[in-house]
Amino acid sequence: MQHILNTPGGLTERGRRFLAARARTVPFPVQDNPDDTEVIARLAPFPEVDTTMALAGLRRAQERYGGLVYRTSAWSFQEEIRFEPWPYYQESVGHGPLGEFIDHEVAHPYSVTLRSDSAVVYRFAADVAVFADADALIEADALYWECESWIPVVEPNVGQSAAGVREAASRLSLIREGSGNTEWWWESDGFRVHLWRTFAELFQQERQAKWGLWARDEAGLRAAHRFLAGNDLR
């Protein structure tokens, strides 16, 4: 398994450009990283977990993402994050143990872990599986990054219901590689819509849901305004 910065296979061209522009690696600390024997021993209380597969998944994550660092504009972070896949064990009904995955330092009272089935899970009042895998999280960060150079049409907005925005946006093309279970991206005719429910689910506060819209150029801006007017989203 090669590190993602050396072999970014599976990422889109956008994702590769994002890592090339924003990412670097730092030494992955090993002093607190237990060896295989200890990991297997810690897995023992979870009989539902395939120990061999869980250990192999942890080592693959460390080899592919360990020490990856970049600054993200994602609404969940807006900071520099570091990928440090550590083994971490706590009961998670139906999915076994979790591994700590992302180190972040701002005052968000939640953790980001990698589940044994590769899902990226945010943890606070509940476990929320946000992305199917780490590459999807990186692709979402790449979309935020790309939108920094686009024209903001609707700034992060809580004035419309998430359900109404999702219904309107569902008629556009879903950007599958950067979408997950609680946040989605759609695009059409040079504009892009993002709906974010991650904190609404994580903190169980519907008011945390928000959305935004960006246009690539003037033609996209006109198309975006037609979309807003046609769906009463102004």
Side-chain angles (χ1 to χ4, degrees):
M1 176 69 65
Q2 299 257 344
H3 196 276
I4 193 167
L5 285 188
N6 298 325
T7 309
L11 293 181
T12 64
E13 182 58 34
R14 178 195 301 115
R16 297 179 187 202
R17 290 198 310 270
F18 167 69
L19 290 183
R22 282 276 179 95
R24 69 184 196 281
T25 55
V26 298
F28 182 64
V30 297
Q31 67 271 19
D32 296 321
N33 188 25
D35 61 22
D36 290 2
T37 301
E38 185 174 348
V39 172
I40 290 172
R42 293 186 185 183
L43 289 170
F46 302 94
E48 75 281 8
V49 175
D50 185 317
T51 302
T52 302
M53 289 185 63
L55 176 61
L58 171 67
R59 297 308 184 211
R60 282 196 302 270
Q62 290 177 333
E63 291 174 11
R64 183 149 178 80
Y65 303 104
L68 176 67
V69 179
Y70 59 71
R71 176 158 291 279
T72 174
S73 303
W75 292 344
S76 296
F77 298 104
Q78 300 182 25
E79 58 173 312
E80 185 172 86
I81 59 174
R82 180 174 301 189
F83 289 65
E84 292 188 345
W86 297 114
Y88 165 71
Y89 309 99
Q90 182 170 332
E91 191 67 33
S92 180
V93 176
H95 297 288
L98 302 167
E100 290 185 13
F101 191 50
I102 288 180
D103 176 49
H104 65 115
E105 298 178 350
V106 299
H108 291 316
Y110 66 96
S111 61
V112 182
T113 58
L114 195 65
R115 204 165 63 186
S116 57
D117 63 354
S118 299
V120 178
V121 177
Y122 292 22
R123 310 197 82 197
F124 184 64
D127 288 355
V128 178
V130 178
F131 294 103
D133 55 39
D135 281 7
L137 181 149
I138 292 171
E139 291 285 0
D141 284 325
L143 285 160
Y144 281 106
W145 167 73
E146 197 169 64
C147 282
E148 290 177 357
S149 63
W150 287 31
I151 304 166
V153 183
V154 174
E155 299 286 356
N157 189 312
V158 295
Q160 297 286 340
S161 75
V165 172
R166 186 171 185 179
E167 180 181 0
S170 67
R171 294 187 283 274
L172 309 177
S173 297
L174 179 68
I175 307 176
R176 296 185 182 279
E177 61 270 16
S179 297
N181 300 316
T182 62
E183 45 194 86
W184 305 268
W185 294 84
W186 296 269
E187 63 185 353
S188 178
D189 299 327
F191 69 91
R192 186 174 289 161
V193 178
H194 179 40
L195 174 60
W196 181 77
R197 287 190 47 82
T198 297
F199 278 12
E201 299 289 339
L202 190 67
F203 301 123
Q204 300 178 4
Q205 295 178 355
E206 187 60 31
R207 62 182 176 83
Q208 294 274 11
K210 60 184 178 181
W211 66 287
L213 190 156
W214 300 263
R216 183 173 52 223
D217 50 29
E218 290 299 322
L221 183 61
R222 291 191 293 272
H225 283 301
R226 289 194 296 271
F227 168 76
L228 291 172
N231 292 283
D232 193 25
L233 296 179
R234 291 182 180 277

